[in-house]
Amino acid sequence: MTPEVEFTNEWALPGKFVKNYIITYIPTDRDVPGTSYKAVDTRGEMVFFTDSELSQTIVQPYWILAKSSQALDVTVRVNSRNKTATTDFSANAPVVHTTATTTDATPAILFRRTQLGLGRFSPSDNLKPGFSMDVSVTTGSDQAGCFRILQLIDTKRFYTIIRSSVGTTLRVEIAIDSDGFVLDRKNEVLGQWNYQNAELCVGSHRTVSFPEPITDSPTYLFAGNAISGFVANEQFRTYVMYQPAGDATIWVPVKLVTWQWDASINRASASAEWPSLPNGSVSSAMSLTPDVPEWSGRILDIVETEEIIP
């Protein structure tokens, strides 16, 4: 007779271990109201282990962020007795150097007729961009892979217009509110979630820079003579993402720059002169230990809402 044996095991995964990280960017057939383009199904999401999966004999995790060497523990229970085994590992990542700045021009936020922006309005302007970031990478042994720039935006924009109809004059506030961070992306290309199509693929033991700085100058055109005010408050998270060469690898963040700007401009009425300069501020900060970027939705697919102001 064979005695009955109780056998279970349980993994303990320290830090940010996940089962998978998935980035989706697929153009759809859905129209975006008020525009001529189609919406995009896009999201960045982590897939975590379930309790039942952590009780399996073999666990194959992806390491998202490791500051130093860590240890993995597994506890095996046999006939009410526990036995814990530990294995050490070290997570290696390329060295990423970034130099990020927001414009030091005075003023940094400009207004021209019905156009409000941070930095230059177009590349042809003899002005600095609102935000600029230079990126270089150094890979070591077995660190060949590709680097991309991913940018998220949290925006709140409001402008006030005067609308007349059948002898009635209404003040209407038109708003765009992302209600959290979404993908800051314009191109409708399958799989092209990376900002400005900027990509750099390098081999091991190389030091290479992105050929051009990553720049952004948020600019908004609110056309029409009936506008009496505009307010923008936006925060950005600009990530350097890295995917090691080889099969079954995922994109991971290796550097993050956060920056923001806010601006407002108002006039007494829809027929009054605009002030020469808007109010506003701009700032940026660096993060060496970025969280995994998660989002659902794209900034261009957010629909404007209207509200009558008493």
Side-chain angles (χ1 to χ4, degrees):
M1 177 181 296
T2 303
E4 182 178 347
V5 177
E6 176 194 5
F7 181 92
T8 62
N9 57 267
E10 181 178 354
W11 287 92
L13 305 181
K16 285 186 177 296
F17 271 107
V18 298
K19 182 179 179 181
N20 202 357
Y21 175 57
I22 301 172
I23 295 177
T24 303
Y25 191 91
I26 303 174
T28 72
D29 292 329
R30 300 194 310 271
D31 292 325
V32 178
T35 72
S36 59
Y37 56 84
K38 305 293 185 180
V40 169
D41 175 19
T42 179
R43 58 191 180 276
E45 55 189 342
M46 288 187 287
V47 181
F48 292 94
F49 288 98
T50 64
D51 291 340
S52 61
E53 288 173 322
L54 290 176
S55 298
Q56 295 176 1
T57 305
I58 298 175
V59 174
Q60 294 179 319
Y62 287 104
W63 178 250
I64 295 296
L65 179 62
K67 296 181 181 179
S68 60
S69 298
Q70 297 281 341
L72 292 180
D73 295 330
V74 61
T75 299
V76 178
R77 184 177 180 86
V78 180
N79 283 346
S80 302
R81 294 185 178 182
N82 292 341
K83 175 62 177 178
T84 298
T86 299
T87 181
D88 296 326
F89 76 97
S90 180
N92 298 315
V95 177
V96 179
H97 296 282
T98 56
T99 302
T101 59
T102 50
T103 179
D104 59 0
T106 304
I109 301 170
L110 300 174
F111 177 76
R112 296 177 183 172
R113 293 178 292 277
T114 55
Q115 193 173 16
L116 183 72
L118 172 65
R120 65 191 183 194
F121 286 137
S122 70
S124 61
D125 282 346
N126 187 25
L127 295 172
K128 293 182 179 181
F131 170 78
S132 182
M133 181 174 72
D134 291 291
V135 181
S136 66
V137 300
T138 298
T139 58
S141 178
D142 297 325
Q143 291 181 355
C146 291
F147 299 83
R148 287 183 176 182
I149 307 301
L150 184 150
Q151 185 162 287
L152 303 182
I153 178 175
D154 183 357
T155 186
K156 292 177 175 58
R157 290 179 248 150
F158 309 89
Y159 60 96
T160 306
I161 64 172
I162 306 300
R163 182 175 292 166
S164 299
S165 176
V166 195
T168 302
T169 300
L170 299 175
R171 293 178 67 243
V172 180
E173 182 180 81
I174 299 178
I176 297 178
D177 189 344
S178 63
D179 192 26
F181 282 94
V182 296
L183 188 67
D184 190 9
R185 181 71 187 153
K186 295 183 179 179
N187 298 48
E188 298 171 63
V189 181
L190 183 63
Q192 291 301 309
W193 49 263
N194 51 312
Y195 190 71
Q196 297 179 339
N197 290 325
E199 183 175 57
L200 182 66
C201 294
V202 300
S204 298
H205 300 291
R206 298 284 306 279
T207 296
V208 185
S209 299
F210 274 82
E212 299 289 340
I214 307 303
T215 64
D216 195 357
S217 298
T219 306
Y220 301 103
L221 176 66
F222 39 103
N225 295 325
I227 295 175
S228 60
F230 182 87
V231 177
N233 187 305
E234 296 186 326
Q235 301 177 58
F236 297 85
R237 295 176 180 172
T238 306
Y239 294 84
V240 181
M241 305 291 292
Y242 164 65
Q243 184 178 39
D247 297 330
T249 62
I250 62 173
W251 288 97
V252 295
V254 287
K255 190 62 72 71
L256 166 65
V257 175
T258 59
W259 56 286
Q260 67 86 35
W261 78 301
D262 62 81
S264 64
I265 189 166
N266 295 278
R267 56 182 176 176
S269 67
S271 59
E273 293 292 325
W274 290 100
S276 58
L277 291 175
N279 297 314
S281 64
V282 58
S283 63
S284 63
M286 189 80 66
S287 173
L288 300 179
T289 56
D291 288 331
V292 179
E294 293 187 274
W295 74 90
S296 178
R298 186 179 67 150
I299 185 62
L300 284 190
D301 299 334
I302 296 175
V303 179
E304 292 183 343
T305 60
E306 296 188 5
E307 181 179 349
I308 297 176
I309 302 175

